[in-house]
Amino acid sequence: MKLKAIIVEDEENSREILKNYLAKYCPNVSLLGEAANVEEALLLIRNNPLDLVFLDVEMPYGNAFDLLDKVGDRQFETVFVTAYNHYAIDALNAHASYYLLKPISIDKLIEAVDYVSEIKEKENRLAHTVLQPNHRHVTGKITIPIQNGFEVLQVADIIYCQADDNYTNIFLKDSKKLVSKTLKYFEDLLQDNGFARVHKSYLVNVNAVTEYNKGKGGSVVLSNGKQIMVSPSRKKELLSYFE
């Protein structure tokens, strides 16, 4: 599929390099415009349906994170392109799909574009279908430690798990349990039971997913009404459960 994209970069030379690389190595990217600052970028974003924004961090009159705050709800993916590696955590928290360091590696650029293409193709295929997990509904049980022994939980009753430092909150259909185990522990325990890690802090039962929203960078709504953001690095895995 063609990805409708823009470049947000204040340095003209950097814009030209990226444009040339995209034209030569990423023919599935259709550039709709360029912006040198936050205000120009906002105008392009608000006037074009976009799939992808290549985004420099430092710009005049604001930075990439200021821009994303002003945009608010968004349905496009972001690929950060910067000369500074210390923004990586901030980019992750801003739900960036990829983080490219200057000078741009052609292989990494192709990898980033391919990753976004795959996400968008999956989202488009699922846009007009009823979400139906391809994983069988589970009927197993797990045990969790309690003060005097252990408690048995029905796996099918678990809607999602949320990290709380070295503890995990397990949200069931009608209750919540705080367990002295990490989220990684439950991810490993439930990996063959239709549970997907959608965020560094969340593990969800795919059978409990009722909606997938492309807005806000991607989120799921669960059977109890809880809405959870989906990290870009986790989208492809989650969406594969519904194909």
Side-chain angles (χ1 to χ4, degrees), residues 17 20-22 24-26 100-101 103-114:
I17 290 172
N20 290 336
Y21 281 177
L22 290 171
K24 187 172 183 179
Y25 302 106
C26 304
L100 298 176
L101 283 174
I104 297 171
S105 160
I106 293 170
D107 288 341
K108 289 296 183 183
L109 175 63
I110 294 171
E111 198 174 287
V113 169
D114 286 348

Side-chain angles (χ1 to χ4, degrees), residues 144-145 153 166-170 177-182 186:
I144 59 172
L153 301 181
N166 289 322
Y167 290 78
T168 297
N169 286 300
I170 299 178
K177 308 288 184 181
L178 180 63
V179 185
S180 57
K181 297 284 187 182
T182 65
F186 287 103

